[in-house]
Amino acid sequence: MTDQNLRKARRTQGHRDETSPTGPHVAVVIVGAGFAGLGTAIRLLQEGHRDLVVLEQADNVGGTWRDNTYPGCACDVPSRLYSFSFAPNPDWSRRFAPQREIEGYLRRCVHDYDLTPYLRLGVALQRASWDQERHRWILQTSRGPLAAGVLVMAQGPLSEPAVPLLPGMEDFAGEMFHSARWRHHLDLRGKRVAVIGTGASAIQFVPHLQRVARQVTVFQRTPPWIMPRNDRPIPGWRRRVYRLAPPLQRLARGVEYLRREAGLPALLGNRAMADMGRKQALAHLRRQIADPALRAKLIPDYELGCKRILMSDDYYPALAQPNVEVVTNAITAITREAVITAPGPTHHATTHPADVLIFGTGFRVTDATFTQHIIGADGRSLGQTWQGSPQAYLGTTVAGFPNLFLMAGPNTGVGHTSLIYIIESQITYLLGCLRVMAERGLAAVEVRADVQASYNTALQRRMAGTVWAAGGCTNWYTDSQGRITAIWPEPTWRFRHRTRTFDPEQYTLTAAHDTPPNPTPDQPAHTLA
C-alpha cells in the first residue's frame, strides 16, 4: 500500500493522522503473538472485528514455542489438548508434540486465518498509559505512538527468562546463557557444561547434553517430582482418521481433558490420590536410578504437586551416566572457569570446572517487568498497584485499569492440563465484554475494586487446602508477599463457567463520547507502517 493510500485508509477508518502525538487509533491492540495473542486475534476476526493489530517484538510468531529451541524441547501436555478447539491439528506426530511442530502449527494458524495483515512484527510495546479524558490507551512502541480503545496483554507468563544474580558471574570466561536463549552455534562436544536449575526445561535438555558434552554438572537446589512420560509416536492411520473424521478427534480430545481433570483432586487436598501419585513417582525413580546415594539426592522432601510435576523417561538415566554429576550444595560464587559451592561433608568449598554455563531457571511469572510500563487511571503502574502480589478479576481485568485485558493473568495457571483451555475461556469473556460495549455504547469498562477484592479473597481461601499452600515447598506459584497468585485452585470447567458471560454489573461503565468511528468491516487497521 502506498503512503497516499495508507493515509486515505486511516482517514476512512477514523484513525488519527500519523503526525498526531497519540498516533493512529485502533479499536483493539493485542500485545504478543503466541497462543494467547493469535487465538484472541482469530476469535475477534471470526466475530467480525477488523479494527485490530497484534504487536510482536520478535520477528516471527510463536511466543514461547519460538523462543525455546533447546535440544529436546517439547510440550508436557498431551498434544490432543495442545491446540485451539476451533483449529484442531490432526497431524501431531507424537503424544507430546515437539517444539518445532507447535511453532509450525501457530504459523499455519496465521496462514489459515489470514492474520498477516494484522501482525506488526518487530514492534515492541514500551509504555501504555490510560487517557482518562479520551477513554483510550496511549501506547509508545518501538515504531512510534499508537492509541487503543482496548488493550489486550497476551505476552504470556513464560516470556521473561529468570536468571539468578550469582557473585562473580561477570567474570566467567566461557559461554553463559538461559535455556530460552539457546546458542545453537556453540559446539558442546568435549565441553564441561554446568547446568543451574532442574525445572521443566532442564530435564528435557540435560539428556541431550549428556550425550555430547565431556562433563555435565547439574546444580540442583530442590529435586522435582518426576512421573513417567510414556511418549510415543501417533500412528499414521490414526492421523488419517482424524483428518477424515474430525468428530473423532474432538471425542479423543474430550476424553483426554476428562482424564487430566480426574487427577486434579490429588493437588486440591485428596490425600489418597496424592499418595498414589507419590508411590508412582518413587517407583519410577527406583526403576531408573540404582545408585542409593544418587537416588537419595533425587527424592523431594515436599508434597507431590507443591512444585510443578514433571514428566520424563530419559532424565534419570542421563543423571546416572559417568559423565554427569548432581551437586546439591548451594552455589556461592562463579569464577573465570568454575562454579564454587558451599562446604559439604568435607567442610571445604568445592570447585567445579566449567567451560559453559546454562541456566534452566525458569521465568519471571509473578514479577514480570512489563507491569512497570502499564500505567493506569491513577497514574500508577500495574507493578506499583500490585506491589509484588498480582491480583485481577477472573485473571483478566484489573481495577484501576479500564479496557485492559490480561490473557493468562493472575491465578489462571494450571498444573494438570492445557493452559489453552483457560485462554480460550478468557477470549470468550473478552468477546462478551466487547458485545456489551457495542450494545450499550460504552467507551470504557473497569472492574469494581470491591468485586476484585472479594473474588481474590475467595480464591486465597480456596487455596488453603491445596498442596500449593500446604506442600512445604517454595514454588513459582507464590508471589513475594506469600500469596499464591499464579495457579487456578479449582477444576478448569469452573473457570470456563465463570467466564462464559460478561456481567456488566461487576464493572463501572463509562458511556462513549468523542470516539473514532468504526472501520469498514472488511478493512483491517493499517498502522505503524
Side-chain angles (χ1 to χ4, degrees):
M1 175 176 282
T2 65
D3 290 344
Q4 181 179 2
N5 288 336
L6 177 60
R7 287 192 292 271
K8 180 180 178 181
R10 285 172 174 163
R11 289 194 298 271
T12 301
Q13 295 168 22
H15 295 304
R16 291 175 175 267
D17 185 78
E18 61 267 28
T19 59
S20 168
T22 61
H25 184 282
V26 182
V28 182
V29 172
I30 302 165
V31 179
F35 265 103
L38 297 179
T40 301
I42 291 169
R43 293 292 290 117
L44 284 169
L45 292 173
Q46 289 177 332
E47 291 286 315
H49 298 276
R50 295 291 183 271
D51 190 11
L52 65 95
V53 294
V54 180
L55 307 183
E56 171 53 61
Q57 64 180 353
D59 58 4
N60 214 327
V61 304
T64 190
W65 298 108
R66 174 201 59 234
D67 296 339
N68 287 269
T69 60
Y70 57 81
C73 183
C75 191
D76 57 5
V77 173
S79 51
R80 287 175 177 175
L81 293 178
Y82 214 75
S83 61
F84 297 121
S85 63
F86 50 81
N89 179 23
D91 296 319
W92 297 123
S93 68
R94 306 190 64 84
R95 182 167 182 256
F96 293 94
Q99 172 267 333
R100 188 180 298 274
E101 289 187 23
I102 300 173
E103 183 185 18
Y105 167 78
L106 289 173
R107 293 190 183 189
R108 286 197 302 276
C109 285
V110 170
H111 175 268
D112 293 346
Y113 292 93
D114 195 23
L115 292 184
T116 301
Y118 304 92
L119 293 175
R120 300 295 176 267
L121 302 177
V123 179
L125 176 65
Q126 299 169 332
R127 181 183 173 90
S129 303
W130 176 250
D131 185 332
Q132 186 68 11
E133 179 182 354
R134 295 174 178 165
H135 306 301
R136 63 189 59 178
W137 285 95
I138 307 303
L139 313 181
Q140 299 300 323
T141 80
S142 57
R143 295 278 187 88
L146 185 65
V150 169
L151 177 61
V152 180
M153 296 301 296
Q155 74 288 345
L158 304 181
S159 57
E160 292 186 56
V163 177
L165 296 177
L166 300 173
M169 280 175 56
E170 67 279 4
D171 298 326
F172 187 67
E175 296 265 10
M176 179 171 56
F177 55 91
H178 189 277
S179 61
R181 304 291 184 264
W182 199 270
R183 298 183 183 174
H184 291 277
H185 70 276
L186 181 60
D187 186 358
L188 295 172
R189 287 176 295 183
K191 301 287 188 182
R192 298 168 299 180
V193 182
V195 176
I196 297 178
T198 54
S201 300
I203 72 161
Q204 292 185 342
F205 68 71
V206 164
H208 294 265
L209 289 180
Q210 181 273 320
R211 290 193 286 269
V212 299
R214 184 173 112 202
Q215 171 69 33
V216 179
T217 306
V218 177
F219 294 89
Q220 172 188 275
R221 185 173 59 179
T222 53
W225 283 104
I226 299 178
M227 290 288 195
R229 187 173 179 83
N230 296 325
D231 191 19
R232 57 185 179 270
I234 296 176
W237 66 264
R238 183 173 295 170
R239 284 179 268 169
R240 289 192 293 271
V241 167
Y242 287 162
R243 283 194 293 270
L244 295 173
L248 289 179
Q249 185 178 14
R250 288 195 293 271
L251 176 62
R253 180 188 178 100
V255 170
E256 189 71 62
Y257 171 78
L258 293 175
R259 288 177 57 190
R260 307 297 285 191
E261 290 295 306
L264 180 61
L267 304 178
L268 301 185
N270 187 307
R271 294 298 307 174
M273 290 189 66
D275 288 342
M276 289 176 57
R278 178 185 174 90
K279 291 177 181 178
Q280 182 182 4
L282 288 175
H284 182 52
L285 173 60
R286 285 193 296 270
R287 282 193 302 269
Q288 296 197 317
I289 298 294
D291 179 10
L294 176 58
R295 189 189 303 161
K297 290 182 178 182
L298 301 175
I299 298 177
D301 62 357
Y302 54 88
E303 293 295 327
L304 177 80
C306 182
K307 289 179 177 286
R308 184 177 176 183
I309 300 172
L310 307 180
M311 293 184 294
S312 176
D313 294 325
D314 57 0
Y315 179 66
Y316 284 152
L319 298 186
Q321 298 305 308
N323 67 329
V324 178
E325 179 185 8
V326 177
V327 177
T328 58
N329 289 354
I331 296 174
T332 57
I334 306 293
T335 67
R336 180 176 174 80
E337 297 178 341
V339 178
I340 311 298
T341 55
T346 61
H347 303 290
H348 294 289
T350 305
T351 299
H352 306 272
D355 304 308
V356 179
L357 183 57
I358 302 176
F359 291 96
T361 45
F363 299 85
R364 301 181 65 167
V365 177
T366 59
D367 64 340
T369 57
F370 85 89
T371 61
Q372 304 301 325
H373 310 300
I374 309 297
I375 313 301
D378 63 359
R380 292 191 303 163
S381 72
L382 191 58
Q384 290 171 326
T385 299
W386 282 347
Q387 296 183 356
S389 186
Q391 295 188 43
Y393 178 60
L394 297 173
T396 309
T397 55
V398 183
F401 294 80
N403 292 13
L404 175 68
F405 292 82
L406 306 177
M407 293 293 136
N411 287 113
T412 60
V414 287
H416 67 290
T417 190
S418 174
L419 184 62
I420 298 172
Y421 184 89
I422 295 290
I423 290 171
E424 288 195 30
S425 302
Q426 292 184 284
I427 294 172
T428 297
Y429 191 73
L430 167 64
L431 293 173
C433 174
L434 295 179
R435 282 193 291 270
V436 169
M437 292 180 72
E439 292 166 358
R440 299 195 181 189
L442 301 177
V445 297
E446 177 188 348
V447 66
R448 290 168 21 212
D450 62 311
V451 169
Q452 177 178 297
S454 176
Y455 170 80
N456 281 277
T457 297
L459 266 186
Q460 293 306 309
R461 190 163 52 240
R462 182 67 185 87
M463 290 288 181
T466 68
V467 68
W468 306 299
C473 77
T474 301
N475 54 46
W476 58 264
Y477 309 136
T478 305
D479 63 33
S480 62
Q481 296 187 18
R483 298 173 67 255
I484 301 171
T485 51
I487 204 80
W488 172 251
E490 295 183 341
T492 55
W493 59 263
R494 288 189 177 174
F495 185 84
R496 177 152 294 188
H497 178 78
R498 295 285 298 268
T499 54
R500 74 184 192 280
T501 57
F502 177 84
D503 183 2
E505 293 187 3
Q506 310 301 313
Y507 287 76
T508 299
L509 310 177
T510 303
H513 64 86
D514 190 29
T515 55
N518 292 327
T520 54
D522 61 346
Q523 177 65 50
H526 292 278
T527 58
L528 300 175

